[in-house]
Amino acid sequence: DTAVSQTPKYLVTQMGNDKSIKCEQNLGHDTMYWYKQDSKKFLKIMFSYNNKELIINETVPNRFSPKSPDKAHLNLHINSLELGDSAVYFCASAPGSTDTQYFGPGTRLTVL
Amino acid sequence: GENVEQHPSTLSVQEGDSAVIKCTYSDSASNYFPWYKQELGKGPQLIIDIRSNVGEKKDQRIAVTLNKTAKHFSLHITETQPEDSAVYFCAALTSGTYKYIFGTGTRLKVLA
């Protein structure tokens, strides 16, 4: 009964490839997020969706495109992967945009 | 822009001793401050939070204090145990944009 799940857990790929990470929450939350955690453990928000609508879009290259097919899912598609995209990507969800967030287990992306 | 500073970056304590981690935030209108624990290979998990209408909150061995005037809040862990070893993050919810700004993390090691 995982609350926030992400697939895959590990992703190793070559530079220039396109890849997607999927996130699902079964908590009935309205708000979902994508965060990037770099090698120094810094956690930085990338995107936030509320009821399938984009509400936060940080300064992220447009190679990153989030998609929310319904409010329980928020996927992250990355085009033309670069070495600097290597990081752990966390999905999170919350009842609303001012409520406590619950994080998924993370996806470790390695770009070779 | 908004900023959250967290200190120390690493902290080693003997089992049974107390640990204190401090954070300072820049947005004086921030009103919600969660603390997360991140174990190796896992996503951050909420351990305690505080809203700006209270100055202190306690949950068994964990407590958080908030000083709104000084714009800082602290995590206190008493009677530390080896399983408390992890990376701890503070966060502040910014006003207006409703996004969380995370501190840079504290790696806590509890020595048996």
Side-chain angles (χ1 to χ4, degrees):
Chain A
D1 57 345
T2 306
V4 182
S5 58
Q6 294 178 229
T7 54
K9 188 163 176 61
Y10 300 97
L11 185 53
V12 181
T13 189
Q14 299 287 332
M15 274 175 53
N17 284 350
D18 303 338
K19 290 293 178 186
S20 291
I21 307 172
K22 295 187 176 182
C23 178
E24 177 181 1
Q25 55 95 2
N26 62 5
L27 298 166
H29 289 169
D30 286 344
T31 309
M32 295 185 74
Y33 307 81
W34 277 110
Y35 284 85
K36 180 179 180 180
Q37 186 173 48
D38 63 22
S39 58
K40 294 184 178 178
K41 295 287 193 182
F42 295 153
L43 261 172
K44 188 140 195 319
I45 189 162
M46 301 173 69
F47 302 103
S48 172
Y49 271 72
N50 190 63
N51 268 322
K52 303 194 299 174
E53 289 196 23
L54 182 67
I55 56 171
I56 293 175
N57 185 349
E58 286 295 280
T59 310
V60 177
N62 57 15
R63 298 182 294 103
F64 290 79
S65 52
K67 284 199 172 46
S68 183
D70 55 62
K71 74 174 193 178
H73 295 84
L74 180 61
N75 304 325
L76 184 65
H77 188 75
I78 315 170
N79 288 329
S80 303
L81 279 156
E82 299 177 358
L83 293 177
D85 297 333
S86 295
V88 181
Y89 291 84
F90 287 101
C91 176
S93 75
S97 55
T98 61
D99 297 316
T100 302
Q101 298 181 336
Y102 296 85
F103 284 81
T107 295
R108 182 176 292 278
L109 171 65
T110 303
V111 183
L112 303 174
Chain B
E2 301 94 351
N3 186 42
V4 174
E5 292 187 3
Q6 183 172 346
H7 299 281
S9 56
T10 60
L11 179 60
S12 292
V13 299
Q14 290 291 328
E15 183 178 359
D17 287 350
S18 295
V20 180
I21 303 170
K22 299 182 179 182
C23 287
T24 304
Y25 59 98
S26 59
D27 180 2
S28 57
S30 291
N31 59 11
Y32 176 58
F33 308 92
W35 284 91
Y36 288 87
K37 175 183 181 183
Q38 186 177 20
E39 296 176 325
L40 195 62
K42 296 185 178 179
Q45 299 295 310
L46 179 77
I47 54 171
I48 196 166
D49 56 8
I50 191 167
R51 294 198 182 264
S52 58
N53 56 346
V54 297
E56 184 174 358
K57 183 175 177 182
K58 192 173 180 183
D59 182 3
Q60 298 183 347
R61 297 185 297 109
I62 295 173
V64 57
T65 58
L66 172 65
N67 182 328
K68 284 216 72 176
T69 304
K71 292 190 287 185
H72 68 70
F73 56 113
S74 300
L75 177 71
H76 304 253
I77 306 174
T78 59
E79 301 172 31
T80 53
Q81 301 166 2
E83 52 265 38
D84 294 331
S85 296
V87 179
Y88 291 81
F89 291 96
C90 62
L93 180 63
T94 62
S95 59
T97 56
Y98 296 122
K99 67 181 180 188
Y100 286 89
I101 307 296
F102 281 79
T104 48
T106 296
R107 185 176 298 279
L108 173 65
K109 292 183 184 176
V110 179
L111 307 170

